[in-house]
């Protein structure tokens, strides 16, 4: 019920939760890894590498903008859904109807843990709200979170691209780039697994395995 709780709060949670941060990083890494592999190392010159780097950065810039906008869309849609629920509960014909609306909004896992007494307590707090906004709005924190999404996606390009700037040998630069990307994918998976309680090492290996799969596909396609 965190969405409902936010209605009565001026402060919001940290800009992005661990899943958002790591997911955006992983998305950016996968895209950068794909672009880095498109240059054939047998024929790659400095101009081709510059073109590849520009393409990788441009792709992640575009994706960062799209992802940031979609974050705002998701935020305001969820906030609008919460407002609709509050209004529906306040306008319900009786307490039972209001409780049913709240129960229907809960996920199956949460609905098994919450009692009728607790649902009624929530309904009472919603009905007692002094004022409900006419429409969902975005706040300064939402815009900062969207900016963070954009920066994470764009920043994920540089660890993968920088080896081509520092090393003249394109083949060696590609090796270092892929090694860095796979390491970051493993660490990202490690963080996700630890946060979810699923098994950090398993998730880290899974993410690294996905990275290896991407590399294998790129190589098979001539990268």
């Amino acid at each position: 019920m965190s969405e409902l709780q936010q209605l009565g709060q001026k402060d919001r949670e940290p800009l992005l939760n661990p899943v958002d941060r790591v997911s955006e990083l992983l998305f950016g890494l996968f895209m950068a890894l794909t672009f880095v592999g498109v240059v054939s190392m047998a024929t790659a010159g400095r101009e081709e590498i510059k073109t590849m780097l520009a393409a990788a950065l441009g792709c992640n810039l575009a994706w960062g903008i799209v992802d940031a906008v979609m974050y705002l869309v998701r935020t305001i849609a969820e906030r609008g859904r919460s407002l609709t629920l509050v209004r529906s509960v306040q306008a319900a014909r009786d307490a039972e109807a209001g409780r049913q609306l709240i129960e229907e909004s809960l996920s199956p896992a949460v609905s098994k843990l919450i009692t009728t007494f607790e649902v009624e307590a929530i309904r009472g707090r919603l009905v007692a709200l002094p004022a409900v906004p006419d429409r969902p709005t975005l706040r300064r924190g939402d815009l900062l979170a969207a900016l963070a999404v954009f920066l994470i996606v764009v920043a994920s390009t540089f660890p993968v691209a920088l080896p081509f700037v520092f090393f003249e040998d394109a083949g060696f630069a590609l090796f270092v780039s892929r090694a860095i990307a796979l390491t970051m994918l493993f660490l990202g998976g490690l963080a996700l697994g630890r946060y979810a309680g699923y098994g950090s090492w398993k998730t880290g290996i899974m993410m690294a395995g996905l990275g290896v799969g991407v590399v294998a596909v790129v190589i098979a396609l001539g990268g």
Side-chain angles (χ1 to χ4, degrees):
M1 297 299 294
S2 59
E3 296 168 352
L4 295 177
Q5 293 169 353
Q6 287 176 359
L7 290 172
Q9 297 176 343
K10 292 183 179 180
D11 298 328
R12 59 174 290 132
E13 297 177 354
L15 290 182
L16 296 172
N17 64 42
V19 174
D20 286 331
R21 292 195 297 268
V22 176
S23 296
E24 298 300 339
L25 177 66
L26 295 179
F27 294 154
L29 279 173
F30 277 123
M31 285 186 292
L33 191 59
T34 302
F35 271 89
V36 162
V38 300
V39 177
S40 173
M41 291 302 108
T43 59
R46 298 312 298 177
E47 289 303 316
E48 287 83 358
I49 290 175
K50 288 180 181 178
T51 301
M52 177 270 296
L53 294 178
L57 181 59
C59 174
N60 277 18
L61 279 169
W63 182 254
I65 293 172
V66 170
D67 229 15
V69 171
M70 291 308 300
Y71 174 85
L72 294 176
V73 171
R74 183 184 68 186
T75 298
I76 202 165
E78 291 176 350
R79 200 162 290 160
R81 178 174 175 269
S82 295
L83 288 175
T84 299
L85 175 61
V86 172
R87 292 196 194 95
S88 298
V89 171
Q90 291 180 337
R93 63 181 182 275
D94 52 36
E96 178 59 31
R99 287 194 296 270
Q100 184 175 355
L101 288 170
I102 294 172
E103 290 170 352
E104 290 173 353
S105 73
L106 299 173
S107 67
V110 173
S111 63
K112 295 178 181 178
L113 301 175
I114 194 167
T115 66
T116 301
F117 177 80
E118 290 168 323
V119 173
E120 174 58 26
I122 294 172
R123 189 197 70 82
R125 289 197 294 271
L126 295 181
V127 171
L129 285 175
V132 179
D134 293 331
R135 60 180 62 85
T137 58
L138 294 173
R139 298 190 285 267
R140 179 174 177 271
D142 302 320
L143 300 178
L144 290 176
L147 176 62
V149 168
F150 171 77
L151 293 177
I152 290 172
V153 174
V154 174
S156 64
T157 309
F158 293 100
V160 180
L162 286 179
F164 294 92
V165 176
F166 292 115
F167 300 110
E168 289 291 333
D169 187 332
F172 181 71
L174 179 61
F175 171 79
V176 173
S177 174
R178 287 172 173 170
I180 291 174
L182 294 178
T183 300
M184 291 179 67
L185 287 170
F186 173 76
L187 294 176
L190 205 69
L192 278 180
R194 185 172 301 166
Y195 177 77
Y198 174 72
S200 54
W201 287 95
K202 290 180 181 178
T203 312
I205 293 172
M206 185 185 306
M207 287 298 172
L210 286 175
V212 171
V214 170
V215 171
V217 170
V218 169
I219 292 174
L221 293 176

